[in-house]
Amino acid sequence: QTSNKDKEILLAIIKFFNDNKRKYNYLEIGSFLGGSLTPFLMDNYCNLIYSIDKRNQKQDDERNRLWSYESISELDMIKRLKKCNLDISKLKTFNGDIKNFKINKKFELAFIDGIHTDTNTFSDFLNTIDKVKKDCIILFHDSSVIFKSINIIKILLNKKKFKFKLVKFKNSEITGLFFGKFFSFNLK
């Protein structure tokens, strides 16, 4: 679940795209009931949204908690979004792991909020980096839980000589990687 501060950060990033009149495609791993998709569904600058979620399973995380998603389907999420009178015409879903997701489109913005283990987060990142443009933003949710994988990702990016900015947002569970033209993003 996203906190008010997390929502504020997502809205600031949307505002950044809007202020710069930049159209974008959005990829989200781990959409659960779709709450974090809402502002992107409402944003006219967002062209395409892909929600990737490996549903109908129990998942563990780095806190040694077991989370059950067995009773939440893609259809449940879509029904909830429609019930809120949201236009879901630009929303596409993929039920599975991003490593099995094939698409010819590239994304400017990705939000990784899948299974909260360091191994899964690292795998999600490795499979996301191939699906984003050179100028992009990749966000991680619950970064206090998956901080080890974020540190490993930082080591990998430095080793591969990527130019990026890593930002842990204050009082938030969101950490962001900013590449290329998105270096200039600052939360105001």
Side-chain angles (χ1 to χ4, degrees):
Q1 303 298 329
T2 51
S3 70
N4 286 337
K5 185 63 175 182
D6 296 345
K7 291 173 187 170
E8 183 182 307
I9 290 163
L10 293 177
L11 292 174
I13 289 170
I14 289 171
K15 185 177 181 322
F16 180 79
F17 278 101
N18 283 243
D19 288 350
N20 291 287
K21 297 182 179 12
R22 289 186 69 112
K23 295 279 188 179
Y24 64 99
N25 295 329
Y26 176 64
L27 172 71
E28 182 171 295
I29 301 170
S31 301
F32 187 46
L33 293 172
S36 52
L37 296 172
T38 302
F40 300 99
L41 289 167
M42 297 170 66
D43 184 18
N44 292 329
Y45 280 91
C46 184
N47 291 324
L48 171 70
I49 300 170
Y50 247 103
S51 166
I52 299 175
D53 216 328
K54 194 172 179 183
R55 297 183 182 274
N56 306 104
Q57 64 175 340
K58 289 183 180 178
Q59 304 171 351
D60 61 350
D61 69 8
E62 293 299 330
R63 297 167 287 199
N64 294 318
R65 291 186 192 162
L66 191 62
W67 304 86
S68 177
Y69 297 95
E70 293 172 305
S71 63
I72 306 295
S73 70
E74 290 170 77
L75 187 56
D76 294 325
M77 179 185 78
I78 290 168
K79 283 180 182 177
R80 284 179 66 110
L81 294 169
K82 284 182 176 178
K83 190 176 179 181
C84 295
N85 295 319
L86 292 166
D87 177 5
I88 61 161
S89 60
K90 62 184 166 185
L91 175 64
K92 310 293 181 217
T93 61
F94 179 78
N95 188 359
D97 193 305
I98 190 168
K99 68 183 173 191
N100 301 316
F101 174 65
K102 308 286 186 245
I103 191 168
N104 291 328
K105 298 267 186 199
K106 292 283 189 173
F107 297 86
E108 289 81 7
L109 180 59
F111 188 43
I112 298 175
D113 190 18
I115 299 171
H116 291 64
T117 65
D118 292 316
T119 301
N120 270 34
T121 302
F122 188 69
S123 177
D124 286 347
F125 171 78
L126 289 178
N127 289 286
T128 297
I129 198 77
D130 295 333
K131 294 168 180 59
V132 293
K133 292 185 176 180
K134 183 180 72 167
D135 299 316
C136 71
I137 301 170
I138 300 175
L139 303 171
F140 299 88
H141 195 242
D142 294 314
S143 56
S144 66
V145 177
I146 47 120
F147 67 92
K148 290 177 190 171
S149 60
I150 294 172
N151 284 332
I152 292 167
I153 289 165
K154 181 180 170 186
I155 292 167
L156 174 71
L157 292 173
N158 282 325
K159 172 79 173 152
K160 298 287 185 181
K161 301 196 182 329
F162 275 82
K163 295 181 95 182
F164 67 96
K165 176 170 75 171
L166 178 70
V167 177
K168 169 64 177 101
F169 294 100
K170 188 177 179 181
N171 300 320
S172 168
E173 279 296 315
I174 294 178
T175 295
L177 287 169
F178 298 82
F179 297 91
K181 294 179 182 175
F182 295 104
F183 276 4
S184 63
F185 176 80
N186 284 311
L187 186 63
K188 296 174 183 167

